[in-house]
Amino acid sequence: MSRADRLDPALIDVDGARAGAPGAWATLVEAWGPAVWGLCRRLTPDAEDAYQDVWERVARSLDAWDGERGTLGAWIVTITHRVLIDRHRRRKVRGEVVELPDLADPARPVDERLVAASRAAALERALLRLPEAHRRVVVLHHQHGVPLEQIALEEGVAIGTVKSRLHRARARLVTLMAEDA
């Protein structure tokens, strides 16, 4: 079964997950866990704690999701975003993001993998140097496909502010990546 098949809402037993069925809950976490983890590791210094907070909130709120206002994935990403913003607001001191090792693709030549790994590491370093509000917009929009309108709504700012942050973040990333080269 491909990742796309696992993400098919018809294959995720939401009612079973609501009832606490272990298989249904495991399928839900397997389908959306990587996206939640990616956001947590990039946007908070305590990614593991944030990840657990997100899934606790999803478990408590699953009865509220009805599918009328959006997909299950968008709802989970929204909860993740809200948890991360709440944690950021409570945090007094910024920490460092823990890097996960990149997975190697054995089908690609070693030199291509090294160049790709180097560029990915440079991008991660550059992302960490962005202001947090700019980093959130880049990660949510470009890496997780969240529409700018939804980001604006969740951040509580105008769409123009989100677009401005994204534009400035992209420009700063280009500069930072050039400095790192």
Side-chain angles (χ1 to χ4, degrees), residues 10-85:
L11 296 179
I12 297 176
D13 180 13
V14 176
D15 291 330
R18 285 178 178 147
W25 184 254
T27 302
L28 182 71
V29 173
E30 180 184 352
W32 296 107
V36 170
W37 176 250
L39 284 168
C40 290
R41 81 175 183 94
R42 285 185 175 87
L43 298 177
T44 188
D46 51 348
E48 291 178 10
D49 291 338
Y51 183 80
Q52 292 300 320
D53 285 351
V54 168
W55 287 111
E56 286 174 15
R57 176 105 39 106
V58 168
R60 284 193 317 266
S61 306
L62 196 54
D63 288 334
W65 181 75
D66 61 6
E68 296 285 324
R69 295 183 303 180
T71 66
L72 180 62
W75 180 75
I76 290 172
V77 168
T78 298
I79 287 177
T80 304
H81 187 213
R82 288 178 181 165
V83 166
L84 294 174
I85 287 173

Side-chain angles (χ1 to χ4, degrees), residues 74-107:
W75 180 75
I76 290 172
V77 168
T78 298
I79 287 177
T80 304
H81 187 213
R82 288 178 181 165
V83 166
L84 294 174
I85 287 173
D86 290 346
R87 292 175 70 83
H88 171 71
R89 288 179 181 152
R90 287 190 308 261
R91 193 171 57 239
K92 301 271 188 218
V93 179
R94 291 176 70 177
E96 294 209 15
V97 175
V98 178
E99 297 285 331
L100 287 178
D102 291 325
L103 298 175
D105 178 8

